Amino acid sequence: MTEFRDSSFLRVQKLSKRFGSHQVLDSVEFELGRDELLVILGPTGAGKTTLLRTIAGLESPDQGSISLAGEDITRIEPAARDVALVFQNFSLYPRWSVRKNLEFPLRAPGRNLPEAEIKQRVEAVAELLKVARHLDRDAVKLSGGEMQRVAIGRAIVRRPRLFLMDEPLTNLDAKLREELRVELLELRRELRIPMLLVTHDQAEALSMADRVVVLAGGKVLQTGTPREIYEHPVSPIVAMQVGQPAINLIRVTLKGDYWVAEDQTPLCEALGIDASRTRPRTGDATQRLLGFRPEHVALRGGKTAAVVELVEYMGVSTTLLVKWAGEKLHIVTSGKSKLRPGDTLEPCLDVTRALLF
C-alpha cells in the first residue's frame, strides 16, 4: 500500500482497467504533489496512455479511485475535472490560425469570457511559448516544434488545475526535444501548476522529473527520485529502464568472499557490497544477478583480462564493448581513451555501486 503525503494534490489508488482479456492497469497507485512534475516512465504497452486517459475521464476504471485536491473525481465528467491533456500528436486544427487554435478552449460552451480577456490570455501564452509572431498564421504552416508549442499553449490558456502530458515531445527531432524539455521545466515552474508527464524516454524522465514512477505491464514497479531510480533500482526490470548504455547484468555465484561469473571469473568481493543485500541467509541460494553500470568500471585493477571488441567514440566519453567473464559487456570511459578493438584491459568494478538482485 502506498503511503500518501498530506501535501499530495493528485492521488491514484488501486486503479485497474481491463480491455477484454488484457489487463492494462493493475492496482496502480501513486501521488502527485501540489508543486511537482511527476514522470511516468515505461515502455510501449506499459499502460501509460490509458492511465492518463483515465485520470482525464476519457476512460472509466474498473476499480480504484482518483482524487484531485481532496475531491473524488473518479466518476465525474471530464469537463468538470478541470485538467488539460496534451497528446503526442499535435491535435491542432490545421486550417485554423494559431490564434483561433489558442482561443478554442476559451470559447467552449459555458465559459462566456469577455473578448478582451480571451485576447489577453491568448497573447500572453503566445508570448510565453515564443509563437506570438505566428498568431495569424495557419497552424498547418508551422514547424513541428511550433505546432507542439501551440498544442501546449492551448492547454495552458485554460489555466487548469492539472497538466497531463502524453509523450508531448516524441514526434520532435532530438535537438527540439532537448530544447522543449528545458522550456517545459521553466514553464511549469513559472505557472506552478502540477504536471504529470508520461514517456518511454529515460532522458526525459531523469532530466525533468521531481519524482519518477516506473510502470511496466500495467503495474507500478518503483517510485522515487531520478537518483533513487538510477542508483537503487528494486529489480533488474527497473534497472534496465534507465541508463545508456543499459546496465550490465551477469549471473553470479558466491564462492568464499567473491561473486564469480558462470565461467568462474571473480567479479567482485562480496564484502565490498551492502551485506544485507548480498550475503545469503541460512538456506538461501548462493546465486544472484549482479548489476553494474557501464560507468562504474575502472579499466585497470581487476584480476582477469577482457578483450575490447568495439569502440564508440562519443566526444566527452568512449563506450567500449568488451568480452569479459564469458559475457559481452559495456564500459564507459573517458573520451581521451586510445583503446582499439583487440586491446586488453583488466576491468575492476566499483563494488560500492554494484547491485545484486
Side-chain angles (χ1 to χ4, degrees):
M1 172 71 76
T2 301
E3 291 187 11
F4 293 108
R5 301 170 295 180
D6 291 339
S7 61
S8 61
F9 179 69
L10 170 71
R11 290 184 179 181
V12 173
Q13 296 177 278
K14 295 189 176 301
L15 203 66
S16 295
K17 178 68 179 178
R18 179 186 292 272
F19 292 120
S21 61
H22 182 44
Q23 187 77 46
V24 183
L25 299 175
D26 189 355
S27 294
V28 171
E29 289 196 331
F30 63 88
E31 62 173 345
L32 170 67
R34 291 181 178 275
D35 186 24
E36 185 175 36
L37 195 163
L38 183 72
V39 172
I40 308 291
L41 174 66
T44 300
K48 303 186 300 296
T49 296
T50 299
L51 176 59
L52 279 199
R53 289 176 58 85
T54 305
I55 294 170
L58 303 179
E59 301 285 353
S60 296
D62 300 326
Q63 294 179 331
S65 66
I66 305 163
S67 63
L68 195 63
E71 175 191 4
D72 188 337
I73 63 168
T74 313
R75 303 297 172 186
I76 71 173
E77 291 297 312
R81 301 186 183 205
D82 194 17
V83 303
L85 177 56
V86 177
F87 298 95
Q88 67 181 56
N89 52 3
F90 308 129
S91 303
L92 301 179
Y93 292 99
R95 301 295 176 184
W96 286 10
S97 68
V98 170
R99 185 186 299 276
K100 194 171 180 180
N101 268 284
L102 291 173
E103 289 176 346
F104 179 69
L106 301 180
R107 297 187 182 281
R111 277 197 172 264
N112 302 317
L113 292 175
E115 287 298 318
E117 183 174 351
I118 291 175
K119 184 175 185 293
Q120 186 275 327
R121 283 203 198 183
V122 165
E123 291 180 355
V125 165
E127 191 68 36
L128 188 64
L129 290 167
K130 303 175 184 177
V131 292
R133 63 193 179 95
H134 301 308
L135 274 173
D136 297 314
R137 191 175 184 183
D138 286 349
V140 73
K141 296 179 180 179
L142 301 177
S143 68
E146 290 163 347
M147 291 178 74
Q148 194 60 304
R149 283 187 175 91
V150 176
I152 293 168
R154 199 163 61 176
I156 293 170
V157 78
R158 289 178 45 198
R159 299 178 184 173
R161 292 193 293 175
L162 172 66
F163 286 125
L164 303 175
M165 301 275 182
D166 186 6
E167 306 222 32
L169 310 181
T170 295
N171 292 329
L172 305 176
D173 62 42
K175 184 178 179 181
L176 268 177
R177 283 202 304 273
E178 184 176 346
E179 183 179 313
L180 278 181
R181 278 206 304 263
V182 174
E183 290 185 12
L184 267 179
L185 280 174
E186 292 175 345
L187 183 66
R188 202 214 63 78
R189 290 184 187 128
E190 183 170 337
L191 297 174
R192 299 187 69 83
I193 295 175
M195 181 182 293
L196 180 63
L197 184 148
V198 306
T199 183
H200 66 275
D201 187 324
Q202 58 173 290
E204 286 180 24
L206 293 178
S207 65
M208 296 181 69
D210 294 309
R211 289 186 305 122
V212 178
V213 175
V214 180
L215 189 72
K219 295 183 178 182
V220 173
L221 303 185
Q222 186 174 354
T223 301
T225 66
R227 185 178 295 276
E228 288 168 345
I229 298 295
Y230 187 82
E231 295 184 358
H232 305 290
V234 297
S235 70
I237 296 175
V238 174
M240 292 291 288
Q241 292 283 335
V242 292
Q244 184 62 37
I247 192 170
N248 296 300
L249 294 170
I250 303 180
R251 294 195 177 279
V252 293
T253 304
L254 184 65
K255 286 200 170 182
D257 287 338
Y258 272 86
W259 291 101
V260 301
E262 291 182 340
D263 71 349
Q264 303 306 302
T265 299
L267 294 173
C268 61
E269 291 183 88
L271 295 176
I273 316 175
D274 180 2
S276 66
R277 297 189 61 187
T278 66
R279 277 295 185 181
R281 297 185 298 273
T282 302
D284 265 0
T286 58
Q287 292 188 330
R288 294 287 189 273
L289 197 60
L290 174 69
F292 55 96
R293 300 285 181 191
E295 65 271 26
H296 296 160
V297 187
L299 300 184
R300 306 293 176 189
K303 293 182 174 294
T304 55
V307 179
V308 177
E309 294 197 343
L310 183 67
V311 177
E312 293 181 291
Y313 175 69
M314 308 296 289
V316 296
S317 65
T318 297
T319 299
L320 308 174
L321 179 66
V322 304
K323 184 69 177 294
W324 185 42
E327 307 277 354
K328 292 190 176 183
L329 307 166
H330 285 102
I331 298 175
V332 173
T333 187
S334 166
K336 297 178 181 179
S337 172
K338 302 296 184 182
L339 289 167
R340 296 181 178 182
D343 289 348
T344 60
L345 46 120
E346 298 80 40
C348 181
L349 304 186
D350 181 348
V351 293
T352 64
R353 296 186 175 185
L355 300 163
L356 279 172
F357 303 106

